Amino acid sequence: MASSHSTLGKNSRLYLLGAVLAFWCIAICGRLVYLQVFNYGKFVKMAGHQQQRAIPLTAKRGVIFDRAGRELAMSVMVDSAFAVPSEVKDLPTAISLVTRITGDNYNAVLGDCRTHKTFCWVARKADDQTIERISSLKLQGIHFLKEPKRFYPARDLAAQVLGSVGMEDSGQSGIEHEFDEQLRGRPGKMFISVDARKQWFSDVETQADPGDNIVLTIDKNIQYIAEKELDQAMHDTQSTAGTVIVENPHTGEILALANRPTFNPNSRKEIRPDTLTNRAVSYVYEPGSAFKVVTISAALEEKLTNPNELFDCQMGSIVYNGMRIRDSKPHGVLPVWGVLAESSNVGTIKIALRLGEERYYKYIRAFGLGQQTGIELPGETRGITKPPSRWSKVSIAAISIGQEVGVSPIQLTSVISTIANDGVYVAPRIVAGTSDPKSTLQTVAFHPGESHRVISPTTAAEMRSMMQKVVLEGTARRAILDGYTAGGKTGTGQKIDPATGAYSKTKYNATFAGFAPLNNPQIVVAVILDSPVGLHQGGQVSAPVFRRISQQVLEYLHVPHDLPLDARHQVLLAQTKIKDKDLTDDTPDHPGEPLETAEVNTGANPPKPTEAAHTSSGPAGEVIQAAIREPIADIPTQPSQDKSPQALPVAQAKTPVSGTVVLEVEQGGIVVPSFVGKTVRASIEAAQDAGLEIDAVGSGVARQQTPAAGVHVPAGARITVQFGR
């Protein structure tokens, strides 16, 4: 009996032990299933994060060539230093030593290395000297890797056109940004792994594919000429900024596009944000008298006038809408070509009034103004052109002389190119095409952009002949070339003073845009200088830059001379030494001083008439005729050697020069409305209706405003309004 009880106890203990063992096995197996099956992916990711890191391999960006296949931007292989933190015995000390060499932020680099145990950058795309210094430290866990780095062989040449790239080789401006997707290629992938002994090894999974090449229309040599002469002009005039554009008027190809200030894209850390701006496509300014070519060509095309029709310029003063608008100097009777050559505001306004608002605006748009040209550069502006429904009663006068309208340098260049190209507008282009990343140079065919006719070939020829007069006898005599005929137009526009919202009395944009040779123009060159100190007229400071650039470019392109270098031409060259005061083309009025009526030439001391006007007295109070339709001889292709008043055909005209001129139009102009008492939203809406901009300070209702209500300001001016509760 006792033995049976002993056997039962032993069996019970065995059963209990077996149950425990079975439960333990089931638990272990369940745990293994949970870890190996259900959580497998999670732990693989955790292990990969601890032991392995995928590093993208940057592809070599495509090469940017000029039109002759010369490299303007390329990628070269350089060393980068990286750390495997698990291998570094004293990570803070190692990072401190490296950052003292590179100048990088110590805390940022150390934080990155502590976050990523297998890989972190410590010196990206460094120069050879930096890499040698880091290598000489012989730090354990610091390794080196080859990476492509963007390199610009010509340094700052065409910097705003080419743009720049970031540390990850992504385009940040210029062509680098606009064509980033094509240039950057397809990146590869490399894995950095650390084994149980904390030894690293790499495995390249995917090779990087290089990007496509870009071929520009830029000519490296012409670009150098443009930038060299622009630098000289900046030095001579102390301008704050400047732009030069050289274009083939027949195809729209941009041969050079230069801006100042500039930057060296190789020195990424030294680039200032303001130097990245491509002023040629993004800067909007009032072109001043350069805009008169639009006004006059439109009137010629509509057959509202002809180059030889006489206009009475009223001794340089006209009253329009109660506002006096004056010329830079007195002019009497001038033919249309003389109005353009002498840059008469009075004559231009009279021509514009014949056009009317709707027809005038149609030509403004046809010349490509108020819209993007489509050039392959980022940040292009549309400019500022208001539809006639938003014009004031004085707008047509202001716009005709280059005020109340904003253009970019590339738009102005396109206007001149249209005239040079027999009246056909061709959209400007700076990219000839793309090519595959092959070792051999490929031929890229350039296809011009969209085109449309703006004016007839006859009108274009008349305009070119008149624009030659601007150079030979007008405000651009410092643009005369040696051995080549040329034509163009000067312009001087006052800038807006941000402090007052009105026109500055000391800051100007000086412009000259022209073409050469006359009958078959091969180039159009536009020069814009911002805020020159001292002499500031387009004919004084910009025309000489045009002459120097055009002379060199035409010779470089082997364009045949169309003018003999004889003694007679040397006389014309001597005219470039004309006095500065004879090259003015601006107006002191913007649009003018408010007056109800204006007396012209009726004072005690009337201004003296110019050589171009042989005057005779008229009856008192007689209204001067707007124009005299008396035909005169055709414009000679070469200026007469006899400069006496009798030699000029205009001198034969007999017109009254005394009398009162009152143009009966309503009081207009852009008048600042009163914002006092209005909310912020109501003020913004009122400003938009008036064609103005608001700088709102504070909140609540308007308490003060600058300029005050009732002041005349240019279109788009900014009004500072202070709000309070």
Side-chain angles (χ1 to χ4, degrees):
M1 191 67 164
S3 62
S4 63
H5 283 290
S6 176
T7 302
L8 181 61
K10 290 180 180 179
N11 291 337
S12 298
R13 287 193 293 272
L14 289 173
Y15 290 145
L16 179 60
L17 180 60
V20 171
L21 290 174
F23 178 77
W24 181 79
C25 290
I26 293 172
I28 293 297
C29 292
R31 182 63 175 171
L32 290 174
V33 171
Y34 174 76
L35 295 176
Q36 297 292 334
V37 178
F38 295 102
N39 277 359
Y40 174 80
K42 174 183 177 182
F43 288 107
V44 168
K45 290 181 180 179
M46 291 176 63
H49 181 72
Q50 295 174 358
Q51 303 171 8
Q52 191 180 71
R53 184 178 177 188
I55 307 300
L57 295 177
T58 305
K60 289 187 68 172
R61 290 177 71 85
V63 180
I64 300 179
F65 295 103
D66 82 336
R67 64 187 300 112
R70 294 172 286 234
E71 294 94 343
L72 298 176
M74 57 195 297
S75 293
V76 296
M77 300 304 293
V78 298
D79 284 307
S80 292
F82 68 93
V84 179
S86 59
E87 291 184 3
V88 182
K89 293 181 179 180
D90 187 352
L91 187 62
T93 301
I95 298 303
S96 176
L97 291 172
V98 172
T99 53
R100 286 179 185 177
I101 296 174
T102 62
D104 293 333
N105 185 281
Y106 165 76
N107 293 324
V109 177
L110 180 61
D112 182 56
C113 289
R114 283 176 170 170
T115 302
H116 304 95
K117 299 294 184 181
T118 58
F119 181 94
C120 67
W121 293 110
V122 294
R124 291 290 302 275
K125 303 177 182 179
D127 56 61
D128 293 340
Q129 183 180 4
T130 300
I131 293 297
E132 288 178 4
R133 293 179 63 188
I134 295 174
S135 178
S136 66
L137 296 175
K138 300 187 182 303
L139 297 172
Q140 185 177 357
I142 303 297
H143 306 279
F144 302 93
L145 177 69
K146 290 287 186 181
E147 280 194 294
K149 179 181 180 181
R150 206 60 166 164
F151 176 65
Y152 301 87
R155 295 171 57 84
D156 58 354
L157 190 76
Q160 283 89 358
V161 173
L162 300 175
S164 63
V165 299
M167 183 61 72
E168 299 297 335
D169 265 8
S170 59
Q172 295 184 330
S173 63
I175 294 294
E176 297 278 23
H177 173 76
E178 190 73 5
F179 289 84
D180 186 54
E181 185 176 348
Q182 294 94 319
L183 284 167
R184 69 186 311 171
R186 186 175 63 87
K189 185 178 293 186
M190 180 180 72
F191 287 100
I192 300 292
S193 302
V194 179
D195 61 15
R197 296 181 181 179
K198 296 185 178 181
Q199 297 296 316
W200 76 280
F201 59 93
S202 63
D203 178 32
V204 177
E205 182 179 277
T206 308
Q207 292 289 349
D209 293 331
D212 291 338
N213 299 327
I214 301 291
V215 181
L216 303 183
T217 62
I218 293 286
D219 186 298
K220 184 178 180 180
N221 294 331
I222 298 178
Q223 180 74 26
Y224 172 76
I225 293 171
E227 295 198 10
K228 179 190 67 173
E229 296 301 340
L230 179 57
D231 283 334
Q232 184 64 48
M234 295 287 291
H235 176 269
D236 294 342
T237 65
Q238 297 298 302
S239 299
T240 60
T243 298
V244 169
I245 300 175
V246 182
E247 180 180 353
N248 181 331
H250 305 296
T251 62
E253 294 170 280
I254 301 299
L255 304 178
L257 192 153
N259 290 282
R260 289 297 183 271
T262 187
F263 63 95
N264 181 359
N266 291 320
S267 304
R268 186 182 298 111
K269 294 181 180 180
E270 300 176 6
I271 298 176
R272 302 195 317 270
D274 61 299
T275 60
L276 292 171
T277 303
N278 191 337
R279 296 172 60 89
V281 299
S282 62
Y283 181 57
V284 179
Y285 76 108
E286 290 187 348
S289 294
F291 200 79
K292 291 171 182 175
V293 297
V294 176
T295 308
I296 295 177
S297 62
L300 292 175
E301 182 67 16
E302 292 293 324
K303 295 182 171 41
L304 299 175
T305 187
N306 64 75
N308 297 316
E309 183 180 0
L310 300 177
F311 278 83
D312 183 5
C313 297
Q314 305 175 185
M315 301 314 298
S317 180
I318 190 173
V319 174
Y320 187 74
N321 193 28
M323 310 285 284
R324 175 183 288 151
I325 304 176
R326 292 168 289 183
D327 288 337
S328 59
K329 55 188 176 183
H331 297 293
V333 176
L334 292 175
V336 172
W337 64 263
V339 169
L340 186 67
E342 297 294 342
S343 201
S344 169
N345 295 321
V346 176
T348 305
I349 291 171
K350 290 184 175 183
I351 293 172
L353 291 176
R354 291 189 183 182
L355 270 171
E357 295 180 352
E358 294 295 339
R359 274 194 298 190
Y360 191 16
Y361 182 70
K362 180 187 74 173
Y363 281 95
I364 291 174
R365 297 288 292 184
F367 272 107
L369 304 176
Q371 53 202 311
Q372 293 180 334
T373 65
I375 191 171
E376 305 93 335
L377 290 170
E380 184 185 8
T381 180
R382 294 180 299 176
I384 301 174
T385 56
K386 300 181 297 183
S389 60
R390 293 181 55 195
W391 288 13
S392 69
K393 295 294 183 178
V394 78
S395 288
I396 191 170
I399 293 173
S400 70
I401 59 176
Q403 298 175 14
E404 280 194 31
V405 61
V407 304
S408 66
I410 193 67
Q411 289 176 328
L412 178 64
T413 306
S414 295
V415 169
I416 304 301
S417 291
T418 300
I419 296 172
N421 191 35
D422 282 335
V424 177
Y425 172 91
V426 179
R429 290 291 177 264
I430 202 167
V431 173
T434 61
S435 64
D436 296 332
K438 297 180 180 179
S439 57
T440 58
L441 193 62
Q442 305 171 61
T443 300
V444 175
F446 174 77
H447 301 285
E450 62 171 307
S451 62
H452 61 266
R453 180 165 293 283
V454 180
I455 55 178
S456 67
T458 301
T459 300
E462 291 175 335
M463 285 299 300
R464 290 198 299 272
S465 179
M466 289 192 292
M467 292 170 75
Q468 183 188 28
K469 286 290 188 180
V470 178
V471 173
L472 294 179
E473 300 181 26
T475 57
R477 275 169 276 188
R478 288 183 178 168
I480 295 177
L481 301 180
D482 188 3
Y484 297 100
T485 54
K489 185 68 187 79
T490 57
T492 307
Q494 283 184 277
K495 298 179 63 178
I496 304 297
D497 187 344
T500 62
Y503 285 98
S504 169
K505 297 183 182 299
T506 58
K507 302 296 184 182
Y508 300 84
N509 282 306
T511 299
F512 181 79
F515 50 84
L518 181 69
N519 294 322
N520 184 24
Q522 297 300 301
I523 58 170
V524 167
V525 179
V527 180
I528 299 95
L529 297 177
D530 188 344
S531 305
V533 177
L535 297 178
H536 58 268
Q537 300 287 332
Q540 296 169 344
V541 295
S542 296
V545 184
F546 165 88
R547 184 187 73 243
R548 297 196 300 266
I549 293 175
S550 298
Q551 193 74 48
Q552 295 175 70
V553 172
L554 291 171
E555 300 285 1
Y556 168 74
L557 295 175
H558 303 292
V559 176
H561 289 184
D562 64 339
L563 205 61
L565 295 174
D566 55 11
R568 184 166 178 263
H569 188 60
Q570 297 302 321
V571 174
L572 293 178
L573 290 176
Q575 293 183 5
T576 61
K577 299 179 181 180
I578 194 168
K579 296 179 180 179
D580 293 324
K581 65 180 181 179
D582 295 326
L583 302 176
T584 57
D585 63 358
D586 61 347
T587 172
D589 308 293
H590 302 281
E593 302 169 355
L595 294 173
E596 293 182 3
T597 60
E599 295 292 324
V600 181
N601 299 339
T602 57
N605 298 309
K608 296 180 180 180
T610 60
E611 290 183 342
H614 181 77
T615 61
S616 61
S617 301
E622 181 179 354
V623 177
I624 300 177
Q625 294 177 294
I628 304 169
R629 295 182 176 272
E630 180 179 346
I632 62 175
D634 291 2
I635 304 173
T637 57
Q638 299 294 338
S640 173
Q641 293 181 349
D642 186 358
K643 297 299 179 181
S644 64
Q646 290 79 10
L648 297 176
V650 183
Q652 300 173 6
K654 297 181 179 181
T655 60
V657 295
S658 300
T660 302
V661 178
V662 181
L663 301 185
E664 298 179 354
V665 292
E666 298 179 50
Q667 176 68 22
I670 300 181
V671 181
V672 177
S674 175
F675 300 104
V676 176
K678 295 182 179 180
T679 63
V680 175
R681 181 172 181 176
S683 298
I684 292 175
E685 292 175 348
Q688 290 177 343
D689 292 339
L692 303 171
E693 301 288 339
I694 268 195
D695 286 331
V697 180
S699 60
V701 296
R703 301 298 185 188
Q704 294 180 347
Q705 67 180 73
T706 305
V711 175
H712 288 74
V713 296
R718 304 190 74 86
I719 311 300
T720 301
V721 182
Q722 296 181 346
F723 295 86
R725 297 187 182 279

Coordinates of all heavy atoms in Angstrom, one line a residue, residues 154-188:
A154 N 35.2 79.6 -66.5 CA 35.4 81.1 -66.7 C 35.0 81.9 -65.5 O 34.8 83.1 -65.6 CB 34.6 81.5 -67.9
R155 N 34.9 81.3 -64.4 CA 34.6 82.0 -63.1 C 33.3 82.7 -63.2 O 32.2 82.1 -63.4 CB 35.8 82.9 -62.7 CG 37.1 82.1 -62.4 CD 38.2 83.1 -62.2 NE 38.0 84.1 -61.2 CZ 38.2 83.9 -59.9 NH1 38.6 82.7 -59.4 NH2 38.0 84.8 -59.0
D156 N 33.3 84.1 -63.2 CA 32.0 84.8 -63.1 C 31.5 85.2 -64.5 O 30.5 85.9 -64.6 CB 32.2 86.1 -62.3 CG 33.3 87.0 -62.9 OD1 34.0 86.6 -63.8 OD2 33.5 88.1 -62.3
L157 N 32.1 84.6 -65.6 CA 31.5 84.9 -66.9 C 30.1 84.4 -67.0 O 29.9 83.2 -66.8 CB 32.5 84.4 -68.0 CG 32.2 84.8 -69.4 CD1 32.7 86.2 -69.6 CD2 32.8 83.8 -70.4
A158 N 29.2 85.2 -67.4 CA 27.8 84.8 -67.6 C 27.2 84.2 -66.4 O 26.4 83.2 -66.5 CB 27.7 83.9 -68.8
A159 N 27.6 84.7 -65.2 CA 27.2 84.0 -64.0 C 25.7 84.0 -63.8 O 25.1 82.9 -63.4 CB 27.8 84.8 -62.8
Q160 N 25.0 85.1 -64.0 CA 23.5 85.1 -63.9 C 22.8 84.2 -64.9 O 21.7 83.7 -64.7 CB 22.9 86.5 -63.9 CG 23.2 87.3 -62.6 CD 24.4 88.1 -62.6 OE1 25.2 88.0 -63.6 NE2 24.7 88.8 -61.6
V161 N 23.4 84.0 -66.1 CA 22.8 83.1 -67.1 C 23.0 81.7 -66.6 O 22.0 80.9 -66.6 CB 23.5 83.4 -68.4 CG1 23.0 82.3 -69.4 CG2 23.2 84.8 -69.0
L162 N 24.2 81.3 -66.3 CA 24.5 79.9 -65.9 C 23.8 79.6 -64.5 O 23.3 78.5 -64.4 CB 26.0 79.7 -65.8 CG 26.8 79.9 -67.1 CD1 28.3 79.8 -66.8 CD2 26.3 78.9 -68.1
G163 N 23.9 80.5 -63.6 CA 23.3 80.3 -62.2 C 24.3 79.5 -61.4 O 25.5 79.5 -61.6
S164 N 23.8 78.9 -60.3 CA 24.6 78.1 -59.4 C 23.9 76.9 -58.9 O 22.7 76.7 -59.1 CB 25.0 79.0 -58.2 OG 23.8 79.4 -57.5
V165 N 24.6 76.0 -58.2 CA 24.0 74.8 -57.7 C 24.3 74.8 -56.2 O 25.2 75.4 -55.7 CB 24.6 73.5 -58.3 CG1 24.2 73.5 -59.8 CG2 26.1 73.4 -58.1
G166 N 23.5 73.9 -55.4 CA 23.7 73.7 -54.0 C 24.7 72.6 -53.7 O 25.2 72.0 -54.6
M167 N 24.8 72.3 -52.4 CA 25.7 71.2 -52.0 C 25.3 69.9 -52.6 O 26.1 69.0 -53.0 CB 25.8 71.1 -50.5 CG 26.8 70.1 -50.0 SD 28.5 70.4 -50.5 CE 28.9 71.9 -49.5
E168 N 24.0 69.7 -52.8 CA 23.5 68.4 -53.3 C 23.4 68.4 -54.9 O 22.7 67.6 -55.5 CB 22.1 68.1 -52.7 CG 22.2 67.9 -51.2 CD 23.0 66.7 -50.8 OE1 23.2 65.8 -51.6 OE2 23.5 66.7 -49.6
D169 N 24.0 69.4 -55.5 CA 24.1 69.6 -56.9 C 22.7 69.9 -57.5 O 22.4 69.5 -58.7 CB 24.7 68.4 -57.6 CG 26.2 68.6 -57.9 OD1 26.7 69.6 -57.4 OD2 26.8 67.7 -58.6
S170 N 21.8 70.5 -56.8 CA 20.5 70.9 -57.3 C 20.6 72.4 -57.8 O 21.2 73.2 -57.1 CB 19.4 70.8 -56.3 OG 19.7 71.6 -55.1
G171 N 20.1 72.7 -59.0 CA 20.1 74.0 -59.5 C 19.4 75.0 -58.7 O 18.3 74.8 -58.2
Q172 N 20.0 76.2 -58.4 CA 19.4 77.2 -57.6 C 19.1 78.4 -58.3 O 18.2 79.2 -57.9 CB 20.4 77.5 -56.4 CG 20.6 76.4 -55.4 CD 21.4 76.7 -54.2 OE1 22.3 77.6 -54.3 NE2 21.2 76.1 -53.1
S173 N 19.7 78.7 -59.5 CA 19.4 79.9 -60.2 C 19.8 79.7 -61.7 O 20.5 78.7 -62.0 CB 20.0 81.1 -59.6 OG 21.5 81.0 -59.7
G174 N 19.4 80.6 -62.6 CA 19.8 80.5 -63.9 C 19.5 79.3 -64.7 O 18.5 78.6 -64.4
I175 N 20.3 78.9 -65.7 CA 20.1 77.7 -66.5 C 20.2 76.5 -65.6 O 19.4 75.5 -65.8 CB 21.1 77.6 -67.6 CG1 20.9 78.8 -68.6 CG2 21.0 76.3 -68.3 CD1 19.6 78.7 -69.4
E176 N 21.0 76.5 -64.6 CA 21.1 75.4 -63.7 C 19.8 75.1 -63.0 O 19.5 73.9 -62.8 CB 22.2 75.7 -62.6 CG 23.6 75.9 -63.1 CD 24.4 74.6 -63.4 OE1 23.7 73.6 -63.6 OE2 25.6 74.6 -63.4
H177 N 19.0 76.1 -62.7 CA 17.7 75.9 -62.1 C 16.6 75.5 -63.2 O 15.8 74.6 -63.0 CB 17.3 77.1 -61.3 CG 15.9 77.1 -60.8 ND1 15.6 76.3 -59.7 CD2 14.8 77.7 -61.2 CE1 14.3 76.4 -59.4 NE2 13.8 77.3 -60.3
E178 N 16.6 76.3 -64.2 CA 15.6 76.1 -65.2 C 15.6 74.8 -65.9 O 14.6 74.2 -66.2 CB 15.7 77.2 -66.3 CG 14.6 77.3 -67.3 CD 13.3 77.9 -66.6 OE1 13.4 78.4 -65.5 OE2 12.3 78.0 -67.3
F179 N 16.8 74.2 -66.1 CA 17.0 72.9 -66.7 C 17.6 71.9 -65.7 O 18.3 71.0 -66.1 CB 17.9 73.0 -68.0 CG 17.3 73.8 -69.1 CD1 17.3 75.1 -69.1 CD2 16.6 73.1 -70.1 CE1 16.7 75.8 -70.2 CE2 16.0 73.8 -71.2 CZ 16.1 75.1 -71.2
D180 N 17.2 72.0 -64.5 CA 17.8 71.2 -63.4 C 17.4 69.7 -63.7 O 18.3 68.8 -63.5 CB 17.2 71.6 -62.1 CG 17.9 70.8 -60.9 OD1 19.1 70.8 -60.9 OD2 17.1 70.2 -60.1
E181 N 16.2 69.4 -64.1 CA 15.8 68.0 -64.3 C 16.6 67.3 -65.4 O 17.0 66.2 -65.3 CB 14.3 67.9 -64.7 CG 13.8 66.5 -64.8 CD 12.3 66.5 -65.0 OE1 11.6 67.5 -64.9 OE2 11.8 65.4 -65.4
Q182 N 16.9 68.1 -66.5 CA 17.7 67.5 -67.6 C 19.2 67.4 -67.2 O 19.9 66.5 -67.6 CB 17.5 68.3 -68.9 CG 16.1 68.3 -69.4 CD 15.3 69.5 -69.0 OE1 15.4 69.9 -67.8 NE2 14.6 70.1 -69.9
L183 N 19.7 68.4 -66.5 CA 21.1 68.4 -66.2 C 21.6 67.4 -65.1 O 22.7 66.9 -65.2 CB 21.5 69.8 -65.8 CG 21.6 70.9 -66.8 CD1 21.7 72.3 -66.2 CD2 22.8 70.7 -67.7
R184 N 20.7 67.2 -64.1 CA 21.2 66.4 -63.0 C 21.3 64.9 -63.2 O 21.9 64.2 -62.4 CB 20.3 66.8 -61.7 CG 18.9 66.2 -61.8 CD 18.1 66.8 -60.6 NE 18.9 66.6 -59.3 CZ 18.5 67.1 -58.2 NH1 17.4 67.9 -58.1 NH2 19.2 66.8 -57.1
G185 N 20.6 64.4 -64.2 CA 20.8 62.9 -64.4 C 20.0 62.1 -63.4 O 19.2 62.6 -62.6
R186 N 20.4 60.8 -63.3 CA 19.8 59.9 -62.4 C 20.8 59.4 -61.4 O 21.8 58.9 -61.7 CB 19.2 58.6 -63.1 CG 18.4 57.7 -62.2 CD 17.8 56.6 -63.1 NE 18.9 55.7 -63.7 CZ 19.4 54.7 -63.1 NH1 19.1 54.3 -61.9 NH2 20.3 53.9 -63.7
P187 N 20.5 59.7 -60.1 CA 21.5 59.4 -59.0 C 21.6 57.9 -58.8 O 20.7 57.1 -59.1 CB 21.0 60.1 -57.8 CG 19.5 60.2 -58.0 CD 19.4 60.4 -59.5
G188 N 22.8 57.4 -58.3 CA 23.0 56.0 -58.0 C 22.8 55.8 -56.5 O 22.3 56.7 -55.8

